[in-house]
Amino acid sequence: GAVVSQHPSRVICKSGTSVKIECRSLDFQATTMFWYRQFPKQSLMLMATSNEGSKATYEQGVEKDKFLINHASLTLSTLTVTSAHPEDSSFYICSAIRYKGGTGETQYFGPGTRLLVL
Amino acid sequence: AQTVTQSQPEMSVQEAETVTLSCTYDTSESDYYLFWYKQPPSRQMILVIRQEAYKQQNATENRFSVNFQKAAKSFSLKISDSQLGDAAMYFCAYRRNPRAGGTSYGKLTFGQGTILTVHP
């Protein structure tokens, strides 16, 4: 099946620094990717929709200047947490949509990135 | 806006028994998809089953089946012959049909999740 990877799988950083998380679709092209945030034992909350070649669409309440999203190619979207603070510590998950003629579209999830800000 | 509600924060079942997880949703759309996702301790999201709203027949995938009641906006998941590997957090999710157009293409709305424990 289709695979979506994320890198790094976990990262620890100091407060005030920036962290970049990569999301790659390994065997298909994805014009649309999504970024989610998940706190322990809670649901996934959509942060933004990443569109290849255009600006990301952010959900209400998500600071676009803090969570920078770049979707520069059909297989890569990046999420940069700028000036990270301890409250940004969370599990970040990306997903990508794959289009396939017979089965339509399917959304595949990455394995997630655990961010800890000290 | 669409909402998805899972009213059971936790459920438990004995191995080999059957368990049903509940999900209700609210939408003004008539064409949409519903999903059940499994998130094991690894936290990798795994698609369990998908239901298209315009299909009256309930979807099934091996031991997993759904009871889709469109008028009641209910979408429950039944797991038969439960196995230890079924232990996970289960999420019900809604997505409007992209053919309907608009800017919410592909966006999933998740329920709060249900933690399923399987006892040996």
Side-chain angles (χ1 to χ4, degrees), chain A residues 38 43 59 99 105 107 109, chain B residues 39 44 95 105-107 111:
Chain A
Q38 185 183 31
S43 188
E59 295 299 301
Y99 301 95
E105 56 163 84
Q107 190 163 156
F109 286 84
Chain B
Q39 188 180 42
Q44 172 72 59
R95 193 187 82 200
Y105 182 85
K107 288 171 55 172

Side-chain angles (χ1 to χ4, degrees), chain A residues 8-37:
Chain A
S9 58
R10 59 174 60 196
V11 57
I12 301 173
C13 69
K14 292 182 179 179
S15 185
T17 61
S18 294
V19 174
K20 180 185 284 188
I21 302 170
E22 294 184 347
C23 176
R24 292 181 186 274
S25 54
L26 297 184
D27 55 354
F28 65 98
Q29 294 182 331
T31 56
T32 303
M33 292 183 174
F34 300 93
W35 287 97
Y36 296 87
R37 182 174 182 176

Side-chain angles (χ1 to χ4, degrees), chain A residues 5-95:
Chain A
S5 70
Q6 280 185 241
H7 178 79
S9 58
R10 59 174 60 196
V11 57
I12 301 173
C13 69
K14 292 182 179 179
S15 185
T17 61
S18 294
V19 174
K20 180 185 284 188
I21 302 170
E22 294 184 347
C23 176
R24 292 181 186 274
S25 54
L26 297 184
D27 55 354
F28 65 98
Q29 294 182 331
T31 56
T32 303
M33 292 183 174
F34 300 93
W35 287 97
Y36 296 87
R37 182 174 182 176
Q38 185 183 31
F39 291 106
K41 293 190 177 181
Q42 293 190 23
S43 188
L44 282 72
M45 298 301 298
L46 180 66
M47 299 175 66
T49 302
S50 174
N51 302 297
E52 188 269 336
S54 64
K55 290 183 179 180
T57 304
Y58 290 82
E59 295 299 301
Q60 192 172 6
V62 177
E63 299 175 60
K64 58 181 68 176
D65 293 331
K66 180 163 186 63
F67 298 100
L68 300 179
I69 291 172
N70 185 280
H71 195 152
S73 79
L74 287 171
T75 59
L76 173 65
S77 175
T78 60
L79 168 68
T80 301
V81 183
T82 62
S83 186
H85 288 95
E87 57 265 30
D88 298 324
S89 298
S90 189
F91 193 67
Y92 293 87
I93 304 174
C94 73
S95 70

